[in-house]
């Protein structure tokens, strides 16, 4: 069957759908709704069906009347209109879901061919979208494909409730003298990652993102009472909240202290331990959960991006834990495992070459700490998506485990970089050279099933019992003391014999990368700017065409 994905952008959900359809051996073509020759390309491909997992625009009638077209709506049966997740969080729904509708002339009014529900967590819209919505879409899509083959299947008519109104900044506005801490958390959560909550600090108009409850500090409403690792702590009528990121109008998202800068003079940096061992109601990024001699290390960096300072802290955390466990499991964050260096901070920098060079070298130091951890076994737990250097950070571990449905983007080319993070050692050690070369040059997203087939992963576990199977796998590594000692001895010998070879891989990578950071005419600076400001360019369309043929 030929399936055309019609999308507004190739976001995380669209990538998951693409990977899973390819793994199911469907012939898949990707089209952007904004491209000029859309109708001609659809006619040329002549799909059996069109699926729209992420579409902002209305579909033209000459598409829906000539092709079986289905739309993913992130809402339950009877929900209609834009901003469905915003409304679900605002209305404090305990359950939500997705439906797949047959496209017609009315907004979200077509018959329902598949659906999947989930429980709502008390978290940001972005986190629910990247986790629950993606998982539910995967289930609903497979249900749709089964139903379409069933000659006796009858779709469910949509309940034509009123289209819910668009939420404006007036609906999201924080009234600091009235709103409780929980009210503020809800308003920021339902607006994260878009459009954010509009606010003003020290005369700077900005949008708020990344909210965390604070249980100890107190201050006057809207008073900035502390800062920590780029975040600011703001007083409320009944407590305080941390806000990790701000975005000035017509700019891009940055850690809050990067936006407010010298205006925070006199605000105290409230430090916490390098690694939290007990979860607290405060803002923190690095946390460890211990199970006897196994340490599960979480590093929850916003959008999976890691700046130099964060990479240094993560390296110190790894170095500390290496002395205190037999198995170290890298678990990444709530929304991503890792996506490598921090592009937004580099875009903001007045010394882009210098700061970029610092960032990649700090990432390399993290990878080196893992690669040369000769006295312990290291495991990467890819329970979330990962991209660029973040993938190769995980591949530096002895074992790699992933959750079913996770998407990897193990490449750098879309940013005009060749990359480092020892990838010319770790990637080619696991994956056949011709396959690895194709992934790197064609910038192919890889689903977890395919990643295991090519050797990137050792195990893939289903979503419903992922944590239990991960724990069993890690426990099995140390159940037999003799087997553990043999593994460590072989690893130590291998690293001793191959250290110079491994280091040479990194040095060659950095030699190629040097001008990519330092040369002001480097395509990295152009492509990074286009990515951060969400500008569409011809290379994106060409890449999507190549992916269709990959």
């Amino acid at each position: 069957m030929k399936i055309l994905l019609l999308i507004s952008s190739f976001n995380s959900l669209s990538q998951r759908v693409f990977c899973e359809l390819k793994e199911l051996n469907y012939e898949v073509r990707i089209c952007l709704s904004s491209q000029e020759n859309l109708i001609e390309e659809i006619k040329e491909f002549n799909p059996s069906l069109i699926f729209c997992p992420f579409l902002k625009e209305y579909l033209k009638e000459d598409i829906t009347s000539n092709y079986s077209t289905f739309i993913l709506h992130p809402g339950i049966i009877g929900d209609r209109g834009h901003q469905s997740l915003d409304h679900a969080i605002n209305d404090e729904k305990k359950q939500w879901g997705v439906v797949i509708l047959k496209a017609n002339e009315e907004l979200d009014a077509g018959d329902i061919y598949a659906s999947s529900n989930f429980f709502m967590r008390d978290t940001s819209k972005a986190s629910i979208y990247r986790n629950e919505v993606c998982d539910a879409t995967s289930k609903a899509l497979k249900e749709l494909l089964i139903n379409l083959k069933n000659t006796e299947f009858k779709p469910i008519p949509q309940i034509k409730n009123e289209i819910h109104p668009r939420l404006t900044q007036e609906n999201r506005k924080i009234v600091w003298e009235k709103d409780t801490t929980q009210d503020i958390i809800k308003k920021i959560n339902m607006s994260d990652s878009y459009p954010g909550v509009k606010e003003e600090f020290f005369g700077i108009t900005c949008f708020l993102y990344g909210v965390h409850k604070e249980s100890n500090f107190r201050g006057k409403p809207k008073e900035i009472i502390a800062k920590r690792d780029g975040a600011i702590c703001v007083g409320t009528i009944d407590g305080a909240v941390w806000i990790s990121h701000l975005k000035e109008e017509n700019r891009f998202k940055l850690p809050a202290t990067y936006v407010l800068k010298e205006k925070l003079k006199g605000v105290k940096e409230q430090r916490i331990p390098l690694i939290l061992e007990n979860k607290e109601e405060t803002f923190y990024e690095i946390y460890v959960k211990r199970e006897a001699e196994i340490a599960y290390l979480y590093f929850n960096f916003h959008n999976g991006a890691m700046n130099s300072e964060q990479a240094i802290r993560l390296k110190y955390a790894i170095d500390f834990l290496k002395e205190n466990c037999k198995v170290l499991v890298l678990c990444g964050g709530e929304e991503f495992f890792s996506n490598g260096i921090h592009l937004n901070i580099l875009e903001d920098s007045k010394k882009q070459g210098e700061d970029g060079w610092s960032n990649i070298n700090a990432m390399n130091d993290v990878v080196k700490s893992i690669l040369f951890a000769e006295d312990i076994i290291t495991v990467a737990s890819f329970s979330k998506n990962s991209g660029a250097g973040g993938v190769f950070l995980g591949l530096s571990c002895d074992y790699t485990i992933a959750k079913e449905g996770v998407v990897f983007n193990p490449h750098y080319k879309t940013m005009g970089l060749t990359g480092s993070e020892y990838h010319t050692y770790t990637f080619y050690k696991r994956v056949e050279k011709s396959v690895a070369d194709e992934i790197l040059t064609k910038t192919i997203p890889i689903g977890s099933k395919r990643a295991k087939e090519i050797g990137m992963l050792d195990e893939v576990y289903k979503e419903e019992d992922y944590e239990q199977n991960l724990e069993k796998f890690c426990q099995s590594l140390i159940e037999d003391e003799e087997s553990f000692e043999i593994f460590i001895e072989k690893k130590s010998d291998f690293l001793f014999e191959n250290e110079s070879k491994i280091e040479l891989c990194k040095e060659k990578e950095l030699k190629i990368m040097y001008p990519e950071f330092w040369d002001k005419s480097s395509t990295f600076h152009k492509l990074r700017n286009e990515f951060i400001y969400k500008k569409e360019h011809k290379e994106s369309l060409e890449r999507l065409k190549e992916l269709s043929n990959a």
Side-chain angles (χ1 to χ4, degrees), residues 238-294:
D238 59 347
V241 294
W242 288 92
I243 296 166
S244 68
H245 284 70
L246 303 176
K247 181 172 80 72
E248 292 180 77
E249 289 190 289
N250 303 315
R251 288 273 289 167
F252 47 88
K253 202 183 297 182
L254 286 166
T257 58
Y258 280 67
V259 174
L260 299 180
K261 297 185 175 85
E262 69 279 352
K263 296 184 184 297
L264 294 174
K265 187 176 181 180
V267 176
K268 187 177 180 182
E269 179 85 11
Q270 292 286 357
R271 299 196 176 279
I272 54 174
L274 174 65
I275 313 169
L276 278 191
E277 303 232 4
N278 296 299
K279 289 189 175 181
E280 299 177 16
E281 285 189 331
T282 191
F283 171 71
Y284 60 92
E285 294 176 311
I286 301 177
Y287 164 76
V288 66
K289 181 183 77 172
R290 294 181 186 271
E291 298 286 345
E293 294 176 300
I294 304 171

Side-chain angles (χ1 to χ4, degrees), residues 271-477:
R271 299 196 176 279
I272 54 174
L274 174 65
I275 313 169
L276 278 191
E277 303 232 4
N278 296 299
K279 289 189 175 181
E280 299 177 16
E281 285 189 331
T282 191
F283 171 71
Y284 60 92
E285 294 176 311
I286 301 177
Y287 164 76
V288 66
K289 181 183 77 172
R290 294 181 186 271
E291 298 286 345
E293 294 176 300
I294 304 171
Y296 297 86
L297 180 62
Y298 297 84
F299 38 102
N300 193 26
F301 301 132
H302 191 79
N303 284 347
M306 200 183 311
N307 64 28
S308 299
E309 184 269 337
Q310 289 168 320
I312 290 167
R313 282 194 284 123
L314 181 59
K315 178 193 178 298
Y316 286 156
I318 291 167
D319 288 345
F320 172 76
L321 291 173
K322 284 194 297 189
E323 306 298 321
N324 295 276
C325 68
K326 283 188 172 180
V327 177
L328 176 61
V329 188
L330 303 186
C331 298
E334 185 181 308
E335 295 173 39
F336 296 96
F337 176 82
S338 176
N339 285 321
I341 64 175
H342 204 307
L343 300 176
N344 286 36
I345 285 181
L346 298 188
E347 182 67 20
D348 182 62
S349 172
K350 291 183 172 64
K351 303 175 294 178
Q352 292 176 342
E354 184 178 331
D355 287 343
W357 190 245
S358 169
N359 203 167
I360 195 65
N361 278 282
M363 281 291 295
N364 281 348
D365 288 344
V366 178
V367 174
K368 182 175 182 178
S369 181
I370 300 163
L371 269 176
F372 292 95
E374 60 182 17
D375 297 324
I376 63 169
I377 297 175
T378 55
V379 179
S381 168
F382 289 107
S383 65
K384 311 295 178 187
N385 294 354
S386 186
V391 178
F392 303 114
L393 169 68
L395 295 189
S396 65
C397 291
D398 300 316
Y399 295 99
T400 53
I401 314 294
K403 184 188 288 185
E404 194 174 76
V406 164
V407 175
F408 300 89
N409 277 284
H411 48 77
Y412 306 89
K413 190 179 174 183
T414 52
M415 281 300 114
L417 295 173
T418 51
S420 190
E421 288 103 356
Y422 292 81
H423 78 278
T424 52
Y425 167 68
T426 59
F427 199 31
Y428 290 91
K429 178 185 174 185
R430 285 181 163 270
V431 180
E432 186 182 326
K433 186 179 186 303
S434 61
V435 176
D437 285 345
E438 183 182 35
I439 291 169
L440 286 166
T441 56
K442 291 188 176 179
T443 64
I444 300 172
I446 304 290
S448 54
K449 180 181 176 183
R450 175 65 177 151
K452 186 181 179 187
E453 287 174 357
I454 64 175
M456 268 179 63
L457 300 175
D458 296 303
E459 296 291 345
V460 175
Y461 297 130
K462 291 185 180 296
E463 174 205 347
E464 52 266 26
D465 52 9
Y466 178 78
E467 296 298 332
Q468 299 94 305
N469 280 321
L470 174 65
E471 288 181 13
K472 284 180 186 176
F473 179 88
C474 294
Q475 286 288 349
S476 72
L477 299 175

Side-chain angles (χ1 to χ4, degrees), residues 90 169-188 190 197-199 208 219-222 234-241:
N90 192 41
Q169 284 298 333
E170 194 59 36
N171 303 116
R172 305 172 194 274
K173 184 179 180 180
I174 297 171
V175 183
W176 293 94
E177 301 296 335
K178 177 185 173 185
D179 288 344
T180 64
T181 298
Q182 198 54 45
D183 292 333
I184 293 167
I185 290 172
K186 184 172 77 171
K187 286 180 177 181
I188 297 176
M190 76 179 192
V197 174
K198 195 171 185 178
E199 191 50 82
L208 316 184
K220 297 175 184 176
K222 204 182 172 184
V234 187
T236 68
I237 60 171
D238 59 347
V241 294

Side-chain angles (χ1 to χ4, degrees), residues 4 6 42 48-53 55 57-73 80 99-114 144 148 155-158 160:
L4 186 138
L6 182 53
I42 293 174
S48 307
L49 72 88
I50 296 174
F51 183 52
C52 310
L55 189 66
E57 300 82 4
Y58 286 99
L59 287 169
K60 294 178 180 179
E61 189 182 352
D62 51 357
I63 295 176
T64 58
S65 60
N66 290 303
Y67 303 93
S68 293
T69 305
F70 297 90
I71 295 175
L72 185 283
H73 176 70
R80 298 178 65 208
V99 294
I100 296 178
L101 308 122
K102 185 79 177 285
N104 63 17
E105 66 280 359
E106 286 188 76
L107 178 65
D108 298 331
D111 289 344
I112 294 169
Y113 279 67
L144 168 71
L148 290 175
I156 301 168
Q158 169 70 302
K160 294 188 179 181

